[in-house]
Amino acid sequence: MERFIIKKLLDWKNSPYRKPLILKGVRQVGKTWILKEFGRRYYENTAYFNFDENEEYRQFFETTKDVKRILQNLMLAGGQKIQPEKTLIIFDEIQDCSKVINSLKYFCENVPEYHVACAGSLLGIALARPSSFPVGKVNFMQIAPMTFMEFLIANGDGNLAAFLDTIDILEPIPEAFFNPLCEKLKMYYVTGGMPESVLMWTEARDVNAMQEVLSDILSAYERDFAKHPNVSEFPKISMVWKSVPSQLARENKKFIYKVIKEGARAREYENALQWLVDARLVHKVYRSSAPALPVAAYDDLSAFKIYLADVGLLRRLAQLAPTAFGEGNRLFTEFKGALTENYVLQTLLTQFEVTPRYWSQNNPPYEVDFLIQRENDIFPIEVKAETNTAGKSLRKFKELFGSKVKLRIRFSLENLKLDGDVLNIPLFLADHTERFIGLALDDSGRDC
C-alpha cells in the first residue's frame, strides 16, 4: 500500500531542525507498519523496540537519563545495531511509558544525530495527562485513515488517481472517468480507510473478511475504553461511542446528550466524550457564530457535532450492510447523508491545519455543514449526498456575511464546475479541495 505520509516522514528525516518524532493515530491505522516501511526504504537498518511486548526494556529508562547508555543496553538486549544517521530507531507502544516519553528530551538535546520515531495506541490520551513531558523537544505527526486517493492506488486504480492529480481546470470531468469514480467511492464508503479493511477488499475481494476486520477493530476500541483510569467512566465512554450513529441520523446533527440516555446531562458524560476526542476516535466540530479570525474566538462551546475517525467504521457501527453498495446512490444518502459528511470531514482534516467548524441559526433554520480556514480566509461548505444541490443555507450565509465570503463550496454528485462564487466539487474529488479552492480564486481574478 502507498501512504502519502511517507513524504512527510522523509521531510522530517532531512530537516536540519529534526527532533524525535511522535506519530499519533488511532489503533489499527497503520502507525507501526508505516514507520517500519519508512525505515526499510530510507535507512540502512531499523531498530524496533516494542515496550508492550518487552516490558523489560522500560527498565533501561528508569535507571538512567544517559541516552548513550540507554541505547547500548537496548542494542545488547535486542540484538539490534544502532548507528547515528543510518538507523531509524522505533519506540512502539510507549503510551504507558512516561520515562520513555520524557527521555525524548535528552535524545533531542544530547544526541540529535540519532533518528528516533515513536508510536503507540491511545497516545493522545497519554499526552493529555498532566505529567512530565518534553515540551518543545519533539516533533508531532498525525497519521489518518487511508484517503480515497490512497484507496484508489491500493485498489489497482492508479490511473484514476493519476488523472485526478492532473486536473488543473475547473470544468466537467468526462463521464468515462466520472461514473467509475462514483462507483469506487461507494466501495470506499464500505471499506473505509483502515488499512487491514482496505487490504481485505483490494487483495482478497472478501466482503465477509472485510466486515470481520471492521468488527474486530471496533471491539478493540471498546476494550480500550476499559483503560480509562476511572473505572466508572468505562460504561459512559461506551454509551457515547455507540450513540454516534444515532446522533448523526438526526436532521439536526448537533450532539444531544439525551440521545445517549434519557435524562443524560452534559456534566455526567462530558469527560467520557473528551476521552474519545483525545483518543482521536471521534472528531468534535464546534458551531461558529461568524466567519472571522481567530476561528476559536467565535466557537459556541455548548453546540457541536461529533463524527467518527473513519467512514467505514461508522458504517459498521451503524450496522449498515455492504449490500447498500449496489442500491443506486443509497449509500451516499443513508441516515441523512451522515456517511458523506463523515467522509468529507475526514478529508478536510488532512488538508487544513485548523479543525473545521459549522454554522447554523434558528428561526428560520439554516445550517452550513462546515467552515474551513485556508490561509486567512474562511470558506463555507455544504455537503449534498445527491444531485439535488439547491442550497438555501449557502445563499443565506452569503447574504449575512457578504464580502467576507470570497467563495462558497459544495460537495455533491454533480460534476466539477465554478458557477459564479460557488465551486461544486464531486465527492470523489474531496481530497483535492485545497488545490481547487486556489484554482477557483485564480479563475475569479481574486488573490489567494
Side-chain angles (χ1 to χ4, degrees):
M1 291 186 180
E2 189 62 35
R3 300 299 308 269
F4 298 155
I5 197 173
I6 284 279
K7 182 182 182 301
K8 291 184 179 179
L9 289 168
L10 190 56
D11 290 341
W12 168 79
K13 176 184 187 293
N14 296 328
S15 172
Y17 310 108
R18 184 195 62 256
K19 302 172 185 177
L21 175 70
I22 290 182
L23 183 63
K24 298 192 294 182
V26 297
R27 182 187 290 278
Q28 300 294 317
V29 80
K31 299 182 294 296
T32 301
W33 181 88
I34 201 68
L35 288 178
K36 287 183 174 180
E37 178 66 10
F38 176 58
R40 184 187 68 80
R41 291 191 193 183
Y42 296 105
Y43 289 84
E44 287 188 11
N45 72 300
T46 299
Y48 175 77
F49 303 97
N50 187 309
F51 292 90
D52 186 44
E53 292 179 359
N54 303 97
E55 293 189 12
E56 61 272 19
Y57 291 161
R58 304 184 189 193
Q59 298 172 6
F60 302 144
F61 295 81
E62 293 169 357
T63 57
T64 182
K65 294 180 180 178
D66 184 339
V67 177
K68 291 190 176 179
R69 185 175 160 196
I70 290 171
L71 288 175
Q72 185 178 34
N73 288 335
L74 287 171
M75 280 191 283
L76 290 171
Q80 304 186 64
K81 182 173 66 173
I82 298 177
Q83 298 175 286
E85 309 287 345
K86 299 178 180 179
T87 301
L88 178 63
I89 305 166
I90 301 175
F91 293 154
D92 203 359
E93 299 297 347
I94 66 164
Q95 64 274 5
D96 295 320
C97 308
S98 59
K99 296 287 187 182
V100 178
I101 295 173
N102 192 52
S103 75
L104 299 180
K105 171 184 177 181
Y106 304 106
F107 275 96
C108 177
E109 294 177 344
N110 301 332
V111 288
E113 67 272 20
Y114 286 93
H115 295 207
V116 181
C118 307
S121 303
L122 302 181
L123 252 180
I125 299 296
L127 300 179
R129 295 173 190 152
S131 61
S132 179
F133 181 77
V135 177
K137 304 299 181 181
V138 295
N139 297 132
F140 288 100
M141 201 175 294
Q142 187 78 36
I143 182 170
M146 294 176 70
T147 64
F148 178 58
M149 289 289 286
E150 289 174 322
F151 172 83
L152 284 176
I153 295 169
N155 197 50
D157 295 305
N159 60 323
L160 291 176
F163 166 73
L164 297 182
D165 279 333
T166 65
I167 297 173
D168 58 5
I169 301 175
L170 300 174
E171 62 183 20
I173 293 166
E175 287 190 8
F177 293 108
F178 190 96
N179 295 332
L181 283 163
C182 283
E183 292 303 305
K184 304 297 180 183
L185 184 59
K186 288 183 191 177
M187 292 182 191
Y188 179 73
Y189 277 31
V190 171
T191 66
M194 304 306 283
E196 191 178 359
S197 173
V198 172
L199 188 69
M200 289 299 104
W201 173 252
T202 58
E203 289 197 359
R205 291 291 192 256
D206 190 331
V207 173
N208 291 331
M210 179 267 297
Q211 286 281 84
E212 190 172 334
V213 164
L214 291 174
S215 295
D216 289 346
I217 293 173
L218 292 173
S219 296
Y221 290 168
E222 295 202 28
R223 288 195 298 273
D224 284 342
F225 300 163
K227 295 179 181 179
H228 194 286
N230 185 345
V231 178
S232 66
E233 291 295 312
F234 165 60
K236 294 178 183 177
I237 296 171
S238 184
M239 290 171 72
V240 173
W241 172 254
K242 291 177 179 176
S243 80
V244 174
S246 299
Q247 302 278 359
L248 292 176
R250 298 167 53 252
E251 189 69 45
N252 176 1
K253 295 179 176 63
K254 175 186 170 183
F255 187 86
I256 302 293
Y257 284 96
K258 290 182 180 178
V259 173
I260 301 171
K261 178 184 175 183
E262 187 63 37
R265 298 179 180 179
R267 67 171 181 267
E268 296 177 89
Y269 289 89
E270 59 188 359
N271 288 340
L273 175 57
Q274 189 59 44
W275 191 95
L276 290 168
V277 172
D278 289 340
R280 299 284 293 189
L281 290 171
V282 303
H283 300 299
K284 198 177 198 179
V285 176
Y286 284 108
R287 178 186 175 275
S288 178
S289 59
L293 299 175
V295 291
Y298 298 87
D299 286 347
D300 176 357
L301 299 182
S302 67
F304 56 87
K305 300 187 284 188
I306 62 171
Y307 297 89
L308 253 57
D310 175 68
V311 66
L313 291 175
L314 175 59
R315 180 195 62 78
R316 192 72 183 110
L317 188 63
Q319 297 183 322
L320 176 63
T323 50
F325 167 69
E327 299 176 22
N329 291 329
R330 180 186 167 195
L331 203 60
F332 294 114
T333 59
E334 195 62 45
F335 61 101
K336 304 192 187 304
L339 291 176
T340 300
E341 277 191 38
N342 207 102
Y343 157 72
V344 168
L345 177 65
Q346 275 180 249
T347 188
L348 295 177
L349 287 168
T350 66
Q351 297 175 73
F352 300 95
E353 183 179 2
V354 178
T355 301
R357 269 60 171 181
Y358 79 99
W359 173 85
S360 68
Q361 75 166 40
N362 298 321
N363 300 322
Y366 293 100
E367 180 171 315
V368 169
D369 297 306
F370 299 112
L371 299 180
I372 55 170
Q373 178 182 341
R374 179 184 184 269
E375 298 180 4
N376 287 325
D377 293 317
I378 308 294
F379 300 97
I381 290 179
E382 187 172 57
V383 178
K384 292 291 187 181
E386 301 178 83
T387 54
N388 176 17
T389 56
K392 63 177 185 176
S393 294
L394 274 185
R395 286 197 299 272
K396 185 65 175 180
F397 192 85
K398 179 71 172 182
E399 287 175 18
L400 290 174
F401 301 109
S403 60
K404 289 184 178 180
V405 187
K406 290 184 177 180
L407 184 71
R408 294 174 288 170
I409 301 157
R410 179 184 295 122
F411 291 104
S412 72
L413 293 180
E414 292 282 4
N415 214 321
L416 179 64
K417 64 178 177 180
L418 179 61
D419 185 6
D421 71 338
V422 178
L423 172 63
N424 191 84
I425 302 176
L427 287 165
F428 56 75
L429 275 173
D431 288 342
H432 298 266
T433 301
E434 200 277 339
R435 183 163 65 87
F436 287 159
I437 291 174
L439 290 174
L441 293 177
D442 287 344
D443 282 1
S444 301
R446 292 171 284 216
D447 289 335
C448 295

